[in-house]
Amino acid sequence: VAALVAAVLAGSGCDLPTPAAHPRLWTLTELRALAANPASADRALAPAAGIPGGIRVSHFLTADDSGAVSLTLGEAWTEGQRSAYVTTELWTGFASVWVQPLYQPVVAWRDDGFPEVALGDDGLQHPIFSVAPGSLFYGPYWQVIYFELPPGKTASDFRSSRQVIESGAALHPAGAALCVLAPPGPIAQPTDTTAAAGSRGIGKITTLTGWVDERPVNVFSFPNGSFRWDAGRVVEELPLFTFTARDDQGDLETIDGVPTVGGSGPIGSGRPPDLATPSGQPHYGALWRAYTVTIPATARVFAPPQAPALVGALTNQRLPFAPLGPEIMNAAAADVQLWAGRIAMNPACFDTLAHLDPASGAGSCVWLDSQAAIEREIDGFWIRKTDALLTCPFVSYADRAVPGP
Amino acid sequence: MSGARAARALRPAAWPAVAALVAAGATAAAGPPARAAEPAPADDGDGYTPPADGPGAPPALSVGGYVDVGFAHADGDGTSFPPGDLRLPADYGVDTFAPAVNSRGDVASTDAHGLPTNGFLPRSVGIGGRPSPLINTVDVDLKYLAPGAPLLVFARLQALPRLSAAGDETRFLVEQAFGRVVPFEALELAITVGKFDSVFGIEYLDNQANIRTGITPSLIARYTTGTPLGAKVFYRLELAPLWSALSLNVAATTSGTLVEALQPPDASLTGVPVASGRLGYELNLARVQVKLGGSASYGPRNDQDDPHAHQRLVGGDLRIALAGFYLNAELLRVDEDAGGPKTTSQGAFPVSSAFHARGGYGQLAYAAPLPLGPLRKMTFYGRYELRHAWFEGFTPITVDRITAGVRVDLWEALIVKGEVLFNRELAGAPAVANNVQTVSIVYTF
């Protein structure tokens, strides 16, 4: 009997779901606490998500010697252009992220059909958010729901989504808003400390205060319309490619100091980037799925001596360098800066300045600096989907500030 | 049992210990060569127990059961989802269990209007806001008394005819299936192995429509009235000089005490059992009967696979019977840790969020004997219940409910019940039209 019972109980373990990664979300609340503590400011997060070495806290936030915390500027190539972003959330163990409602009071509708948003007593907008950080269902991806203020009510009368719904106000679903809810305490705007500083625009992120469950909350607000969602309210993710290579010990490493590549559509879709006309402002680039791209053994990072930080990073990682032609070795920094950090499939092109530009024709570099180039040049086996989802809104796109002036 | 001791007791190797306990009980059961009859089952704590055998030689196998035919109407669209509320998951910001229509706790609808949910849903009869007759439950009970052995084998099989927008969703359910050994004639001790009633609190005693005073379960029944799989031991000690008795009911099971819609009972997802138990005291005087109990449950939540994601339940219960009046009351506290991706009997979901609930109810009933022709008894009852709950990071919600109803017993085989539920959203959740009017006709065979 004992054996039978034991067998029955043990049998309950058959065909159970395969253990999956615990869903985990890091928001600015957790990240700020980690960054402000010197002991954890460089900690690697999500080391098992598929990105060798994980993602360091310093990728999100940077603390200076005084403990002041600021958003970190990340570098990316988009369609062969130089772009920059900040990173505000990290999810692991999530198949998808959902859009949540954000409520904005409206006093009137303009002739062009746009709403006239009601302002608070201080003359500012205070959107009402429905989910706070602390829930695994929080995300900075919101659908704006305009609601018409009932007679006799003001914007200040509404501080929670429950109040809006119970008021019976007419609701008008609208478009996408990317609003990152931040913890109390200052988090400074990102600072461009790269060699590109001064030669490109970095947008200023709008800050405001909103409400969630009648509590005030700090908000970083990014340009509207930067993401899409489907009928199941799942936010579309785009691929963000991170390069990996094997060091001289054969270990796979994320290549430090090399910008990521921001895709413009799902893997294999061939979708071009969604850009506003004529401003060129991106209407994409909010939720990213990290992919690793293991470069071929013959590919090399273009790391000229004019980019000493990059050279130092590659040296520390014991990654091989490609020989550079004398014209490049002796070139002015400004002449090679645009190409530094790109990865070439054919490093023999590092012989002349002209060959760095793919427009030079035969013998010029084949760079892995766009989704199309990666999907064209790299066998799909070496492009690996990871378990990491990231919020990385652009603050600079093709060297133009986002949002624009 | 303290949390630390319970944690030590629930190491991943705990299932073999449960098996050994069961085996020991079974061995002891084989001791006495024969026994005269099944002892009269305690009316408290051992869950549903088939009636005692009468004199003579009853058949070894007997068949019983009931048919519960209902008619229900829920206000609004039959759910607690307010129009215009796009928060996700849709089942985190409202009480989806509020518009219950039958004794299983099935609600009129769980249609979230296409919004994603995350597995905090009851079962639905799919009638929405339209009044409709229902076959709530077709129940068949099979009982086998092994001749010459202190062994009872029991199986409760149920058919639940359901229709939804997706089509026929009728289910056939093994609600209970267990063997029970009473190893010592002199002791009121029973060892049960299989799938059986919860041991937590008192409301599980009323799980079935032919037993429950009213129609719908309380707002906290979802946490205490599941039918888990495992082993349990029940012991009752009469203290005759004190007109009293003590009882202890402990179990090690797959899913603890939550209902199957929230935690699947039919397999252990963590490999570690959930320990549950109730210690009860009863005072049996000539005119008044008082029963008190304290319950606890501790172990991994069985809607995910991490054995370190625990759930903790504690509760207290009280029953007083006096001059035809019956007061039942129960208080409950539930705390669940966050775990891995969620699996329930209704599917796979992204996240098992940390969750907390506090609640309770009090029900007062008056049973008037009316031996008039087929009429046997009329029972009038009212219940007040309150529930405060929140998922990690979500707005806490507070709801209450006032339930009133009447039950008429005809002959010994027919029960007619009518009930109204007034659901109110007191805080956190938007107010929504989700009151219920429901009728249940129960034929027992």
Side-chain angles (χ1 to χ4, degrees), chain A residues 1-2 5-6 9 12 16-17 19-23 94 98-101 103 130 134-137 143 145 161-162 165-166 171 213 232-233, chain B residues 15 23 26 84-89 92 115-116 118 267-268 305-306 339-341 350-351 392-395 425-431:
Chain A
V1 174
V5 172
L9 294 174
S12 65
L16 298 179
H22 267 225
F94 282 83
W98 299 267
V99 65
Q100 297 275 12
Y103 298 94
S130 51
S135 166
L136 291 175
F137 290 92
Q143 181 186 18
I145 311 288
S161 55
R162 182 194 188 207
I165 293 165
E166 285 195 334
L171 304 176
D213 292 337
R233 303 190 69 78
Chain B
W15 274 118
D85 188 356
L86 297 176
R87 290 176 297 168
L88 300 179
Y92 271 32
L115 296 177
N118 193 52
S268 173
D305 56 33
D306 182 355
V351 174
E392 179 182 33
F394 263 71
T395 309
E425 290 72 31
L426 303 180

Side-chain angles (χ1 to χ4, degrees), chain B residues 103-172:
Chain B
S103 292
R104 297 192 57 80
D106 298 345
V107 296
S109 175
T110 52
D111 182 356
H113 314 299
L115 296 177
T117 56
N118 193 52
F120 198 73
L121 291 172
R123 297 284 182 177
S124 166
V125 296
I127 62 173
R130 300 170 297 277
S132 176
L134 303 162
I135 301 294
N136 287 317
T137 307
V138 177
D139 177 285
V140 176
D141 297 342
L142 304 175
K143 185 179 74 171
Y144 176 75
L145 285 166
L151 172 65
L152 170 96
V153 180
F154 181 75
R156 165 161 284 157
L157 312 174
Q158 296 186 330
L160 310 171
R162 299 289 185 266
L163 184 68
S164 78
D168 182 24
E169 292 194 356
T170 297
R171 289 194 302 144
F172 293 92

Side-chain angles (χ1 to χ4, degrees), chain B residues 260-278:
Chain B
E260 58 88 25
L262 296 180
Q263 290 196 11
D266 296 323
S268 173
L269 300 187
T270 64
V272 179
V274 180
S276 307
R278 177 180 180 272

Side-chain angles (χ1 to χ4, degrees), chain B residues 298-314:
Chain B
Y298 181 82
R301 51 188 296 178
N302 201 45
D303 58 356
Q304 52 84 55
D305 56 33
D306 182 355
H308 303 293
H310 288 147
Q311 59 188 16
R312 295 163 291 278
L313 289 79
V314 292

Side-chain angles (χ1 to χ4, degrees), chain B residues 76 86 129 137 149 186 205 243 322 331 341 355 364 430 437 440:
Chain B
L86 297 176
T137 307
L205 296 165
W243 301 88
L322 173 66
L331 291 172
F355 173 74
L364 183 64
Q437 307 87 45
S440 169

Side-chain angles (χ1 to χ4, degrees), chain A residues 101-105 117-120 124-130 142-147 155 158-161 164 177 179 181 207-221:
Chain A
L102 171 163
Y103 298 94
Q104 282 273 35
V117 173
L119 305 179
L124 301 173
Q125 292 186 20
H126 299 289
I128 300 162
F129 299 93
S130 51
W142 310 94
Q143 181 186 18
V144 178
I145 311 288
Y146 293 111
F147 68 99
F158 293 90
R159 297 180 175 185
S160 75
S161 55
V164 174
C179 294
L181 305 193
T207 58
L208 50 87
T209 59
W211 296 105
V212 58
D213 292 337
E214 304 187 46
R215 298 189 308 273
V217 62
N218 296 330
V219 181
F220 286 114
S221 177

